[in-house]
Amino acid sequence: MKHIHRIRNVYSKILGEQAFIALFVVILAAMAGLFSSCTVRNMHDQSVGQTADGTTATPTPMAPTAGNEVSEEEQTSGPGMNNGPMPVETGSVSPLPDSVPRPDESPSGKPKEQPGTPEPTEEGKPAPNPPPKPPAKPSPSPEPAPSEKPEPSPKPAPSAEPAPGDIVNPYVRYTWDQMMDEAKKLRDAYPEWIELASAGTSVEGRDLLVIRLGKGDRKILLCGAHHAREYISSSYLMKMVEVYADKADKDEPFGDFRPRELLSRVTIVVVPMVNPDGVNLVNNGLQAVSDQEAVAAMVMVNPSYRHWKANINGVDLNRQYPALWEEKYDDVGQPASENYKGTASATEPEVQAMMALARSEDFVLSASFHAKGEVIYWADRGTVNTISGARDIARRMGRAAGYALMPVSEEPSVYAAGFENWFRLEFKRPSFCIELTPYNNTEEPHDDKKFDSLVWNKAKTLGLILADEALKR
């Protein structure tokens, strides 16, 4: 019995040890499974974290931000607003290709935008690069607005009284290409009120665009950009045409005027850009010029082509008209960026075209728009006593725009050979030289992004004032 009891004790001890070993194995297995699960979970979390913060995820294109936008200077290094070689056209306006892309009119400066970027606004996320599409979560900054603003119909930049229409974009460095494209769109949008023609061609063969706005028997002649760096006068006249046509078409008032009534009785003939070759040089650089070697050899009165005033022959067009031309002071004496009056009066094709246009119709009055000064030149000694009513018209414009009237110009060496002086002398009718913008102690063109405050908000009714005055004469 004692042996049996001893055997039972040994057997029980063995069973206890086996049970302990089995329990230990189970515990080890459970711990191993828990460790494996934690390791996998940690690896997964690291992978997700890396994808979310972009350290190991596949790169996607970034939408440009304020830190990586193409600068305005960089955007204007190429020729033309159409991102391609500038076409040299002759003859009428109609042969211009209808497929020329419309310049972007968004008030934000973006890589897709044509030369000269408008002021960035809170809409300023560019359309060209859509938002990235992260695989694991929604985009941190969805940008539906830019994708909805391709080129077809964005509104221009803000103003105190937003201008109607969405064709003319004055908030960029305005070019001949853009002007021609927008003029055709204006004609198509307002066929009852707008006709296009050409007064002739420039030295490099660009059409001198003529826009006939209205259908009245009384006619006035307005022109801009005799001086290349003053191309803001071109964008001003183009915006004027668009706004007046839009108001006339809708029979809506504009300020104190009824454009439909006025434009039914008066035709405003506009030459927005008298000097397209010079504007091309200012805004697109020497590489956009046909004869670069000739231009590079001319005298530079100022150090930059952005300061250029003359036509591409180096002749100052507003010192070229046959109105006491011989007495006009010329401190350069050879082709230059400005001040050279030429070898004789009216040698340049742009001046010849303007003279022919002025003589071709019975214009009641005229105005030539320039930049910097916010003043109105209304008379010179040679004709002040033969033209009545000019001072009153100038005063009316001055009150509307806040511009000062200049004294009667006394010295032919200073005032001679300008368009307005020639028009007065030729027709004995009022002609005005209107300096649209504030003087800012530099020859650099203005910041086009500030078009509204620089020009439009002050001078937007000047064309209607002149049309109204034509009915009184």
Side-chain angles (χ1 to χ4, degrees), residues 194-210:
I194 291 176
E195 296 179 358
L196 304 183
S198 174
T201 55
S202 66
V203 174
E204 291 189 335
R206 294 179 175 87
D207 278 300
L208 302 184
L209 173 68
V210 178

Side-chain angles (χ1 to χ4, degrees), residues 10 28 119 212 217 372:
V10 172
L28 286 178
E119 196 166 22
R212 299 177 63 86
D217 294 332
K372 298 195 178 179

Side-chain angles (χ1 to χ4, degrees), residues 124-336:
K125 296 288 196 295
N129 293 327
K133 299 178 181 179
K137 65 176 185 177
S139 172
S141 56
E143 301 166 339
S147 62
E148 296 172 1
K149 291 183 180 290
E151 295 179 359
S153 59
K155 291 276 184 182
S159 68
E161 179 180 335
D166 60 357
I167 294 174
V168 176
N169 178 14
Y171 306 100
V172 296
R173 294 183 178 184
Y174 209 69
T175 66
W176 178 84
D177 283 327
Q178 179 180 346
M179 178 188 70
M180 297 300 283
D181 179 56
E182 291 176 349
K184 292 169 63 179
K185 289 184 170 76
L186 289 173
R187 176 197 60 196
D188 295 343
Y190 306 106
E192 181 182 357
W193 301 100
I194 291 176
E195 296 179 358
L196 304 183
S198 174
T201 55
S202 66
V203 174
E204 291 189 335
R206 294 179 175 87
D207 278 300
L208 302 184
L209 173 68
V210 178
I211 302 175
R212 299 177 63 86
L213 172 64
K215 43 192 176 182
D217 294 332
R218 309 288 278 176
K219 299 180 180 70
I220 64 174
L221 176 59
L222 311 181
C223 59
H226 269 84
H227 291 147
R229 69 187 181 213
E230 299 169 23
Y231 62 84
I232 198 169
S233 58
S234 300
S235 51
Y236 163 75
L237 288 170
M238 290 295 290
K239 178 52 70 175
M240 176 193 290
V241 169
E242 178 178 33
V243 173
Y244 294 1
D246 186 82
K247 293 297 186 180
D249 196 57
K250 296 174 180 175
D251 196 12
E252 295 177 349
F254 190 64
D256 297 330
F257 297 94
R258 301 291 307 190
R260 170 167 284 199
E261 295 177 9
L262 266 178
L263 295 179
S264 295
R265 302 175 64 192
V266 179
T267 298
I268 304 176
V269 178
V270 182
V271 183
M273 192 178 290
V274 176
N275 185 7
D277 300 344
V279 173
N280 175 55
L281 174 60
V282 167
N283 284 331
N284 295 322
L286 184 62
Q287 69 273 12
V289 173
S290 296
D291 192 345
Q292 298 178 22
E293 184 177 353
V295 174
M298 295 177 188
V299 174
M300 292 293 290
V301 176
N302 285 291
S304 170
Y305 289 116
R306 285 284 289 161
H307 302 162
W308 192 274
K309 289 179 70 176
N311 76 346
I312 212 64
N313 281 341
V315 177
D316 191 321
L317 296 180
N318 214 41
R319 295 175 170 230
Q320 253 278 291
Y321 289 87
L324 303 177
W325 176 87
E326 295 80 4
E327 299 182 46
K328 183 70 174 181
Y329 178 65
D330 183 343
D331 58 350
V332 181
Q334 59 183 305

Side-chain angles (χ1 to χ4, degrees), residues 449-466:
K449 295 173 288 186
K450 299 178 181 178
F451 172 83
D452 289 333
S453 60
L454 287 169
V455 182
W456 186 248
N457 294 341
K458 301 174 185 178
K460 58 189 173 185
T461 61
L462 294 187
L464 295 174
I465 290 173
L466 291 170

Side-chain angles (χ1 to χ4, degrees), residues 25-149:
V25 170
V26 170
I27 292 173
L28 286 178
M31 292 178 65
L34 180 62
F35 177 79
S36 175
S37 175
C38 291
T39 302
V40 171
R41 181 183 295 272
N42 184 57
M43 291 175 63
H44 176 70
D45 290 344
Q46 287 180 341
S47 175
V48 171
Q50 289 172 342
T51 301
D53 65 17
T55 55
T56 60
T58 302
T60 57
M62 289 183 60
T65 65
N68 61 15
E69 287 176 345
V70 178
S71 71
E72 183 179 25
E73 289 296 327
E74 291 169 338
Q75 289 180 20
T76 56
S77 61
M81 288 294 295
N82 296 323
N83 284 342
M86 176 173 295
V88 177
E89 309 258 350
T90 59
S92 67
V93 174
S94 56
L96 290 171
D98 291 326
S99 60
V100 176
R102 176 181 176 176
D104 190 288
E105 296 182 13
S106 168
S108 57
K110 300 299 172 272
K112 185 177 180 179
E113 202 161 14
Q114 309 300 340
T117 57
E119 196 166 22
T121 70
E122 47 194 16
E123 297 177 344
K125 296 288 196 295
N129 293 327
K133 299 178 181 179
K137 65 176 185 177
S139 172
S141 56
E143 301 166 339
S147 62
E148 296 172 1
K149 291 183 180 290

